[in-house]
């Protein structure tokens, strides 16, 4: 199959409980970006070494299970006016299959649920969402389980911002989405609490002074970044506390964009080391932007 004229949004589903959230997020993203939609199920490819007949029967059973999952997706999207294509992909892993499909179609984004791979129709073990975060050729959007507020309801796009190549890449993509929605953009940076554990051999007064300086530096960085996205209204917020906890509790956005790596004050990891934890705990959908450079 040749790539569509317009890069699609790919939704990965497997019949688990998070499929509805992924479908809702992917459908909204495709409508907002004006792109076609591809719904995909990945099932195990035939093993190179095996018992022949037994392996073939098992793979055929997995293929039938994948087709059943697509039937569920078709029912969920019935009546949707958007252009939707349904694909069954054979691969060694769900993440690998979605990566290959995204590369083949030059996809805008891959959308999955945070609990991708449900217990009743599990085609692969492990967390596909987390594995997708490593090496994806396009942004990966993860819908939180049991998403209470449908995407598009809030009317604001968020971005976890640090002044690094990855942070700027996330800002660019977040600003583009805000432009498409017509809503405002909000930038977030997280700094540590004053009573957070201190670095080894650093006194409390020195730590407080450092954090205050860091806050002033980040305020300037956020102000400049917000002013740089002139195509949409933008403001900024500095959150205090644990990075994952603070970002996970952000609820006033439809999407929260973040880079795949970055560092906060005192070289505390902001995104790279915690993005997998963030997508498991965030209350709103998170979009992890591929590493720049």
């Amino acid at each position: 199959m040749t790539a569509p004229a317009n890069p699609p949004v790919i939704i990965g589903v497997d019949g688990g409980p998070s499929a509805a959230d992924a479908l809702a997020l992917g459908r909204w993203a495709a409508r907002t970006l004006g792109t076609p939609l591809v719904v995909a199920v990945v099932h195990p490819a035939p093993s190179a070494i095996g018992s022949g007949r037994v392996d073939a029967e098992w793979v055929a059973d997995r293929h039938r299970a994948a087709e059943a999952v697509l039937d569920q997706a078709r029912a969920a999207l019935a009546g949707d006016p958007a252009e939707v294509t349904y694909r069954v992909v054979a691969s060694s892993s769900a993440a690998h299959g979605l990566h290959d499909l995204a590369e083949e179609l030059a996809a805008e984004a891959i959308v999955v649920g945070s609990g991708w791979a449900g217990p009743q129709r599990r085609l692969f073990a492990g967390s596909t969402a987390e594995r997708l975060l490593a090496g994806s050729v396009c942004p990966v959007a993860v819908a939180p389980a049991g998403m209470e507020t449908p995407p598009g309801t809030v009317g604001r796009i968020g971005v976890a911002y640090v002044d690094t190549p990855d942070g700027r890449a996330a800002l660019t993509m977040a600003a583009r989405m805000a432009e498409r929605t017509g809503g405002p953009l909000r930038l977030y940076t997280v700094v540590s609490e004053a009573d957070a554990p201190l670095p080894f051999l650093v006194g409390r007064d020195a730590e407080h002074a450092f954090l205050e300086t860091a806050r002033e530096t980040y305020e300037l960085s956020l102000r400049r970044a917000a002013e740089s996205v002139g195509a949409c209204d933008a403001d900024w917020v500095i959150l205090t506390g644990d990075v994952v906890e603070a970002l996970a509790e952000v609820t006033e956005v439809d999407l929260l964009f973040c880079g795949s790596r970055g560092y906060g004050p005192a070289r505390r990891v902001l995104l790279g080391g915690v993005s997998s934890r963030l997508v498991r705990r965030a209350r709103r959908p998170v979009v992890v932007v591929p590493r720049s450079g």
Side-chain angles (χ1 to χ4, degrees):
M1 178 180 292
T2 58
N6 296 322
V9 169
I10 297 173
I11 305 176
V13 294
D14 75 345
S18 63
D21 298 314
L23 288 168
L25 176 58
R27 176 167 52 186
W28 174 77
R31 286 175 176 172
T32 301
L33 294 171
T35 66
L37 194 58
V38 175
V39 181
V41 178
V42 184
H43 72 81
S47 176
I49 300 176
S51 57
R53 176 179 172 78
V54 174
D55 281 356
E57 290 178 352
W58 183 77
V59 170
D61 177 73
R62 295 297 81 197
H63 184 85
R64 286 192 294 271
E67 289 288 359
V69 171
L70 283 188
D71 287 341
Q72 293 177 2
R74 287 187 183 94
L77 297 177
D80 195 302
E83 177 187 345
V84 185
T85 302
Y86 297 88
R87 295 283 298 268
V88 173
V89 179
S91 183
S92 58
S93 75
H96 193 274
L98 291 175
H99 279 158
D100 286 348
L101 184 61
E103 190 165 8
E104 173 194 339
L105 302 180
E108 281 278 1
I110 302 172
V111 180
V112 293
S114 60
W116 212 66
Q120 300 303 317
R121 291 186 179 275
R122 177 167 294 180
L123 300 177
F124 291 98
S127 171
T128 297
E130 291 182 25
R131 293 179 183 179
L132 278 170
L133 298 181
S136 176
V137 297
C138 65
V140 176
V142 184
M147 190 164 45
E148 296 177 1
T149 305
T153 303
V154 179
R156 178 185 288 114
I157 302 299
V159 55
Y161 181 76
V162 285
D163 190 17
T164 64
D166 294 79
R168 291 190 288 273
L171 175 62
T172 297
M173 302 198 89
R176 178 189 172 214
M177 180 62 81
E179 261 191 270
R180 298 289 301 194
T181 64
L185 175 68
R186 177 163 292 172
L187 288 69
Y188 297 90
T189 282
V190 183
V191 298
S192 300
E193 294 176 322
D195 60 353
L198 303 180
F200 183 56
L201 296 181
V202 174
R204 183 172 295 277
D205 289 343
E207 173 74 355
H208 279 239
F210 180 85
L211 291 176
E212 189 60 33
T213 300
R215 179 180 287 272
E216 293 174 0
T217 300
Y218 273 68
E219 286 180 352
L220 178 60
S221 174
L222 286 166
R223 186 178 300 112
R224 288 175 174 171
E227 291 171 354
S228 72
V229 290
C232 58
D233 293 332
D235 62 7
W236 51 269
V237 173
I238 294 180
L239 304 175
T240 302
D242 175 80
V243 173
V244 174
E245 295 290 342
L247 293 177
E249 289 301 313
V250 169
T251 58
E252 66 272 16
V253 298
D254 284 310
L255 290 176
L256 179 66
F257 285 78
C258 66
S260 55
R261 60 182 173 183
Y263 299 91
R267 299 197 62 81
R268 293 178 174 88
V269 175
L270 174 61
L271 297 174
V274 302
S275 57
S276 62
R277 288 190 290 143
L278 178 60
V279 299
R280 287 198 303 268
R281 303 185 64 174
R283 296 178 61 185
R284 298 302 294 154
V286 173
V287 182
V288 180
V289 178
R291 229 165 243 202
S292 59

